[in-house]
Amino acid sequence: MPTPPRTMSPQPLTWTPPADPDKPACPYRAGFTVNINTHVPPAPFGCRSYGPGTRTTVAGQPLRSLKQTELVLANPPLGTLDSPNPPSYTLSVTDVLAAGDGRGAQVVVCTVTPKVSASSASNPAPSPSPFQAVAKIYDPLYYSFRNRDVPSVPCDVTLLADQDYSCEAAAYEHLKAIGQAGAFAPRYYGSFTFTARVMVNKTTPRLRQVRLILIEHIQGPSIRDLCRAPRPAAPAPAAAFSEACRLEVLARVMEGDAKLRWLGIMQRDVAGRNVLLQWPPGLQTAAQRTTLPRVVLIDYNVSVVYARTIRKIGPYDGMKLPPNPMELYWTNALQEFWGWIPVEWETNPKLRQQWLSKRFGGNNMASFAPLTEKLEFAK
């Protein structure tokens, strides 16, 4: 008699993390203060270009039975060879940009004050002054334990936080080296670590390390912010800008992206939410409508620095000029910029291509590398 076929238990459509009474509430809000030390980040890893790295992945089945706090305490971030006496600072959060349990990286505005060591206390030279920065904190305890892409399985938050930190720190180090940090990208102040404490069973203190980077605080809205109506039936702030102004900002985004690729880094997430516009301090709102802002591209956690990939080379190595944005964006519908671009472009791609041809073609082509293929207008 043939053996009946085995029946597989169906996987639940969603997975619910087990109760985790040891997990503290997310602390990253105004008033949070901690001592931080400089830290050497690990080599970037995680995407196909970088390879898997040396981080051990927790298997799916054991992951299902773990509490998030247990997972985080058992899998500390990757260690590196830090200085025996790293510079130390006091970080105090003054405002929250994006934080909360399950969000992923926590983004806060902070004041950073250098700590004076005993050996330098008697030094007559003035001590470094406090400065304002944005801290991006890669704390796996407040990443989403439920996998956002596949809700039926948990997410190894310790792996994801380390991956985000390694890739973003590598990106900002490269941006600083090529002179783009403080220009098309925020200034970069370095990578850091601090010690956090968790009480296990309300009686046993456990210490863990948390990584972060510090970057420039860009005080200005994102393009996505400007495309949101403040209330129903009200026009979005973007409508107050002329079409010529909006398209020149878009052109600077495209040109900046092309230059970054040429200089060895691909950001890989050029979108309205990641483009900040910064006007001179004190400039009135009415004057902003006729003044071109500084255009800043942020968020490099999925970026690729070609020199640090497995192949060590990029597609634009050896080119004397950046690739032409016309070629990079010819077939891109720019959906991430809807509300900023002319509404007619959404249904008529030829109009977008005609603008690209006018803005980056003709005499402007001399600023870029020759096109590698003939570009055909959409019908």
Side-chain angles (χ1 to χ4, degrees), residues 2-274:
T3 303
R6 294 179 60 188
T7 58
M8 301 295 291
S9 300
Q11 291 291 330
L13 296 179
T14 61
W15 171 82
T16 302
D20 192 357
D22 293 332
K23 180 178 175 179
C26 183
Y28 305 115
R29 55 186 182 271
F32 174 79
T33 299
V34 68
N35 292 328
I36 63 174
N37 296 320
T38 57
H39 178 259
V40 178
F45 71 96
C47 69
R48 181 180 300 178
S49 298
Y50 288 141
T54 59
R55 190 74 160 79
T56 302
T57 304
V58 181
Q61 195 57 43
L63 199 58
R64 287 178 173 272
S65 60
L66 287 173
K67 300 171 185 175
Q68 189 166 1
T69 303
E70 292 174 333
L71 172 66
V72 170
L73 291 175
N75 295 273
L78 286 170
T80 54
L81 295 176
D82 287 322
S83 166
N85 296 298
S88 182
Y89 303 79
T90 299
L91 180 150
S92 299
V93 175
T94 58
D95 196 11
V96 172
L97 297 178
D101 190 13
R103 187 201 175 273
Q106 312 289 306
V107 187
V108 295
V109 182
C110 56
T111 298
V112 183
T113 306
K115 298 186 74 174
V116 179
S117 64
S119 60
S120 61
S122 59
N123 192 330
S127 60
S129 301
F131 62 95
Q132 188 183 66
V134 165
K136 195 164 186 179
I137 304 170
Y138 307 92
D139 189 340
L141 199 54
Y142 304 105
Y143 275 60
S144 175
F145 200 11
R146 180 184 287 114
N147 193 310
R148 291 174 176 173
D149 297 323
V150 188
S152 61
V153 299
C155 172
D156 184 352
V157 292
T158 60
L159 175 73
L160 184 57
D162 249 3
Q163 180 179 314
D164 284 352
Y165 171 58
S166 71
C167 292
E168 197 140 26
Y172 274 106
E173 288 172 355
H174 187 76
L175 290 164
K176 187 173 182 178
I178 62 176
Q180 288 299 300
F184 187 56
R187 291 184 184 89
Y188 178 54
Y189 302 121
S191 53
F192 300 83
T193 188
F194 67 87
T195 302
R197 188 175 77 161
V198 174
M199 294 297 292
V200 176
N201 296 325
K202 300 182 180 180
T203 58
T204 306
R206 292 283 302 276
L207 301 181
R208 63 191 185 90
Q209 291 296 304
V210 179
R211 313 301 195 205
L212 70 148
I213 63 169
L214 293 178
I215 59 175
E216 177 186 5
H217 181 206
I218 306 298
Q219 299 191 49
S222 70
I223 285 181
R224 184 173 70 174
D225 291 338
L226 293 172
C227 293
R228 288 173 168 168
R231 56 188 180 278
F241 294 83
S242 69
E243 181 176 292
C245 178
R246 286 184 280 115
L247 291 183
E248 182 55 30
V249 167
L250 180 65
R252 294 187 181 194
V253 173
M254 294 176 170
E255 193 166 352
D257 177 39
K259 187 174 183 179
L260 289 188
R261 298 190 197 202
W262 177 56
L263 292 173
I265 178 172
M266 186 172 180
Q267 191 262 3
R268 297 178 65 212
D269 192 17
V270 178
R273 67 182 180 280
N274 291 331

Side-chain angles (χ1 to χ4, degrees), residues 322-337:
N324 194 312
M326 176 168 53
E327 188 167 28
L328 297 179
Y329 287 90
W330 192 255
T331 59
N332 189 325
L334 300 178
Q335 288 181 318
E336 295 290 346
F337 292 90

